[in-house]
Amino acid sequence: MIHEHDDAEDGDLVAGPPEVEVPDHVAEAIRTLIHWAGDDPTREGLVDTPRRVAKAWREYCAGYADDPGHHLERVFEEVGGYDDIVLLRDIPFQSHCEHHMAPIIGRAHIAYLPKDHVVGISKLARVLHGFARRLQVQERLTAEVADCIWKHLRPRGVAVVIEATHGCMTSRGVRTPGVTMTTSRMMGVFRDDERSRKEVLALIAKG
Ligand SMILES: [Zn+2]
């Protein structure tokens, strides 16, 4: 678990993977894939590719070494009587689909209605990236982010809306560029109270 990055810059949302040696069998697996795809893994341009691909995948999947809930442990009780929606809009993220290991590229909107404490706003993005940097399906990613905030912050409501394009749809299979998939998870008052849900969805739609 990576626990020492609380004060990292906002841009550094998940700690990078430690410098790793790529084991031979991993490089060999990637050479096999290159050959299977139709190219010659021994040609000059591809010689170092297996090592680079292996390292890139460690980075794409850095979330496995992260405990996203940890980012929500430090809370601020002093909220000056603020009891309205906190929303982080348009958080860009990248993930990979677990069916094709193809990129999922999208934006997330994360909102919660605090009860008695709030978190630093960059922490919501850290939670997102902690789950996104794994092999995912968008539905589960949406649910995991919402559940994590719900469980750790115990707010009155959580709303997570994710819009993303899936490489496995845009560049293979039905090859439909520009199609966006939207998923959402509403918890607490955002699920049970229609007025609250409308309010948060209107805030998300703004912009
Ligand atoms: Zn896929």
Side-chain angles (χ1 to χ4, degrees):
M1 299 298 152
I2 296 165
H3 278 186
E4 66 273 35
H5 287 265
D6 256 340
D7 300 312
E9 295 300 313
D10 279 2
D12 176 28
L13 292 166
V14 170
E19 202 44 50
V20 283
E21 279 305 307
V22 176
D24 287 346
H25 68 280
V26 175
E28 189 52 37
I30 296 158
R31 275 192 288 275
T32 301
L33 184 61
I34 292 170
H35 188 253
W36 162 254
D39 213 319
D40 171 11
T42 63
R43 75 176 170 83
E44 202 190 341
L46 288 173
V47 166
D48 286 331
T49 298
R51 199 181 49 85
R52 283 192 294 260
V53 170
K55 289 189 171 177
W57 273 97
R58 266 302 174 94
E59 216 172 313
Y60 301 152
C61 288
Y64 290 121
D66 190 17
D67 171 11
H70 168 75
H71 301 301
L72 302 177
E73 276 166 19
R74 202 166 61 182
V75 297
F76 303 100
E77 313 268 338
E78 197 58 63
V79 292
Y82 188 85
D83 61 353
D84 222 323
I85 296 171
V86 176
L87 167 66
L88 196 54
R89 279 186 84 259
D90 278 329
I91 316 162
F93 74 92
Q94 263 209 59
S95 186
H96 287 82
C97 86
E98 68 183 25
H99 301 131
H100 304 91
M101 297 172 76
I104 300 172
I105 296 168
R107 300 175 306 158
H109 317 291
I110 304 176
Y112 70 102
L113 189 61
K115 199 182 289 172
D116 16 68
H117 44 244
V118 297
V119 283
I121 195 118
S122 71
K123 307 297 179 181
L124 301 177
R126 286 174 201 273
V127 170
L128 169 71
H129 294 302
F131 288 115
R133 291 181 182 176
R134 301 176 186 203
L135 297 176
Q136 275 290 8
V137 295
Q138 187 178 326
E139 295 88 337
R140 189 178 60 227
L141 172 63
T142 309
E144 282 178 341
V145 171
D147 290 349
C148 183
I149 295 166
W150 182 252
K151 184 176 148 210
H152 286 87
L153 283 190
R154 291 272 158 222
R156 288 159 61 205
V158 177
V160 176
V161 177
I162 293 181
E163 305 164 71
T165 58
H166 290 242
C168 58
M169 251 195 98
T170 54
S171 51
R172 60 156 294 286
V174 292
R175 294 200 181 109
T176 317
V179 174
T180 305
M181 176 164 148
T182 303
T183 47
S184 69
R185 185 161 175 103
M186 305 282 152
M187 307 181 77
V189 291
F190 296 139
R191 186 193 55 205
D192 301 331
D193 178 57
E194 203 189 322
R195 229 190 54 196
S196 300
R197 181 167 59 247
K198 277 189 176 154
E199 191 186 346
V200 76
L201 288 174
L203 276 177
I204 288 170
K206 242 186 233 173

